[in-house]
Amino acid sequence: MPLSAVHLIEEPAIRRLDALAPLADADRQALGVAVESKRRVAARKEVLAEGEPIRRASVLLSGWACRVRELKDGRRQILGFVLPGEMIGRYQYAQPRAPAAMLALTELVLCPAPEAVPGSALAEAYAISAALEETALLRQVTRLGRLSALERTADLLLELHDRLILSGLANDRSFSLPVTQETLADVLGLTSVHVNRTLQVMRRDGLLTLSGGTVSLADRARLAALVDYRPALASAA
């Protein structure tokens, strides 16, 4: 792969890790080497099965994935999204197994997570990334347990916006949302019809616009006040 193409595909990962802890040249080089072993996963394919041994952690270079639990009767709960630049399967114990299935929502590009030297910026970025993952899980528990449909939707969109800003894939108000309303329903614990109605209310109230798969948060401050939104980096610090 030409060097420019390597840089293009690894950019969200480098942006995110560098935002968490400024990377040294050696860290960037290690990530560049890891990208040479990238692999692709087609949309709607399983990346990991629940209980599957995780042989090596990965970095998601592009595409959207999700962690999901499926019940015997076909119902499913999406536990959270995995976005470009984020980690898959990084655990601090020997012989980990996937606690939930990992599903590709779009086509994915993954690469092995480079080994981090203890005390390095990359090791610090990995640690902060793990803390952010825990924060997102706790936010998801609160969403499902205590928030209304509108509050759940607003909180999720604010979280996605913040996470995509870290990887350079959102601006100060807009980001791409390449998932269906059915997928949003599965992560929000709602029906597709309820999600559709909620988004219509939010549009009508001037809180957001949604067009061509792009979300624009028309009044982010108002949305944040509505759901008592707390920035994840402050929670993970």
Side-chain angles (χ1 to χ4, degrees), residues 9-184:
I9 204 166
E10 73 183 13
E11 184 176 359
I14 285 184
R15 279 178 176 266
R16 180 176 184 273
L17 293 169
D18 192 55
L20 299 181
L23 300 178
D25 289 343
D27 299 323
R28 293 171 181 272
Q29 184 177 9
L31 187 57
V33 171
V35 169
E36 295 176 2
S37 300
K38 74 183 190 307
R39 65 186 178 97
R40 296 182 182 273
V41 178
R44 297 180 295 279
K45 295 295 185 180
E46 196 172 62
V47 181
L48 287 169
E50 184 174 340
E52 179 181 341
I54 300 173
R55 294 174 177 81
R56 185 169 183 180
S58 300
V59 179
L60 181 55
L61 299 174
S62 67
W64 282 44
C66 68
R67 296 180 177 89
V68 61
R69 281 278 179 89
E70 295 196 8
L71 304 180
K72 290 182 179 180
D73 62 6
R75 289 176 296 166
R76 72 174 188 174
Q77 176 65 56
I78 292 178
L79 306 172
F81 294 122
V82 184
L83 308 180
E86 298 182 350
M87 315 293 295
I88 294 175
R90 183 170 177 81
Y91 298 99
Q92 298 301 315
Y93 54 91
Q95 300 179 333
R97 292 180 178 270
M102 180 74 66
L103 180 69
L105 295 171
T106 68
E107 182 183 66
L108 308 180
V109 181
L110 305 160
C111 77
E115 293 297 327
V117 177
S120 67
L122 187 58
E124 177 69 5
Y126 283 170
I128 297 173
S129 186
L132 290 176
E133 185 177 324
E134 180 181 4
T135 299
L137 180 59
L138 296 177
R139 190 187 298 279
Q140 173 71 346
V141 171
T142 305
R143 262 197 297 264
L144 297 180
R146 282 291 178 260
L147 301 188
S148 69
L150 192 148
E151 290 169 336
R152 292 182 197 187
T153 305
D155 190 75
L156 176 64
L157 294 177
L158 288 164
E159 177 193 304
L160 294 174
H161 184 230
D162 279 353
R163 288 164 64 184
L164 289 167
I165 283 177
L166 278 178
S167 56
L169 295 175
N171 60 30
D172 60 354
R173 60 180 291 179
S174 301
F175 61 94
S176 176
L177 185 67
V179 299
T180 65
Q181 289 189 11
E182 180 181 3
T183 298
L184 288 177

Side-chain angles (χ1 to χ4, degrees), residues 150-151 154 202 207 221-229:
L150 192 148
E151 290 169 336
M202 295 176 77
L207 293 170
R222 185 176 159 205
L223 273 177
L226 179 69
V227 297
D228 189 21
Y229 184 76

